[in-house]
Amino acid sequence: GDSVTQMEGPVTLSEEAFLTINCTYTATGYPSLFWYVQYPGEGLQLLLKATKADDKGSNKGFEATYRKETTSFHLEKGSVQVSDSAVYFCALKFPDSNYQLIWGAGTKLIIKP
Amino acid sequence: NAGVTQTPKFRVLKTGQSMTLLCAQDMNHEYMYWYRQDPGMGLRLIHYSVGEGTTAKGEVPDGYNVSRLKKQNFLLGLESAAPSQTSVYFCASRPQGGGYNEQFFGPGTRLTVL
């Protein structure tokens, strides 16, 4: 079945380090792809999205490119801050599915000053 | 706007007890969702609603019931709680429309069933 796999956490980095959180998916069609972020004590919020191959989503210094050939949507940021500490979720959705997102397990990111 | 709010934030139940989780949104959204979040797993959809008076089963509906009597509220009920229902529960809502509309999440309810 369709699924999303994320790298296991926690990922611990120093401030200003380069970040990559891997996300790969298995799907029979051409889904839209998303990254959501959950800050401590809060609900999830949409970080960025891409709806077709080679699209790049970006927000708050984070980027992810929809790679159909490798079925991946890795999240990157050039210089992380302590305030980026959170749990990051990768998810996918098919155009004909109005209601359900398929979620990865989440990756906890810890940034040390 | 308060966005999506959830009540309570924490709850401890004994096996067999019942409870209701309340989700409220003030954004006039048509769609509402209940998810559970368990360690090492992504969010799993329990039930959802596409409008006032309608509900439908998601991926893991067993042991839960829901009601959407008012557009702004979506209630999740556990009739006889079990330890397997220990989880963090998130409510979300989104506006109606084609394509993809962002889901807005509440802060979550942490439920422990002893």
Side-chain angles (χ1 to χ4, degrees), chain A residues 47-63:
Chain A
L47 180 60
L48 53 84
K49 67 181 182 184
T51 57
K52 62 183 187 296
D54 300 325
D55 266 3
K56 177 184 283 188
S58 61
N59 186 23
K60 299 182 180 180
F62 290 89
E63 292 184 339

Side-chain angles (χ1 to χ4, degrees), chain A:
Chain A
D2 303 323
S3 64
V4 175
T5 302
Q6 291 181 233
M7 64 189 294
E8 283 193 32
V11 173
T12 303
L13 296 172
S14 297
E15 207 166 19
E16 299 184 1
F18 184 87
L19 167 72
T20 299
I21 299 179
N22 290 338
C23 171
T24 58
Y25 66 90
T26 302
T28 53
Y30 300 99
S32 296
L33 300 172
F34 310 91
W35 278 101
Y36 274 76
V37 58
Q38 182 182 23
Y39 296 106
E42 299 182 11
L44 285 73
Q45 53 188 278
L46 181 64
L47 180 60
L48 53 84
K49 67 181 182 184
T51 57
K52 62 183 187 296
D54 300 325
D55 266 3
K56 177 184 283 188
S58 61
N59 186 23
K60 299 182 180 180
F62 290 89
E63 292 184 339
T65 301
Y66 188 161
R67 303 284 189 198
K68 190 175 75 171
E69 64 277 12
T70 55
T71 61
S72 64
F73 193 53
H74 304 323
L75 183 68
E76 297 181 334
K77 187 175 185 181
S79 177
V80 292
Q81 306 300 313
V82 172
S83 57
D84 293 327
S85 298
V87 181
Y88 293 81
F89 292 89
C90 186
L92 66 82
K93 174 187 175 294
F94 288 100
D96 60 351
S97 172
N98 282 326
Y99 314 124
Q100 189 161 352
L101 289 163
I102 298 172
W103 296 86
T107 302
K108 185 173 184 177
L109 174 65
I110 300 170
I111 306 300
K112 298 189 172 182

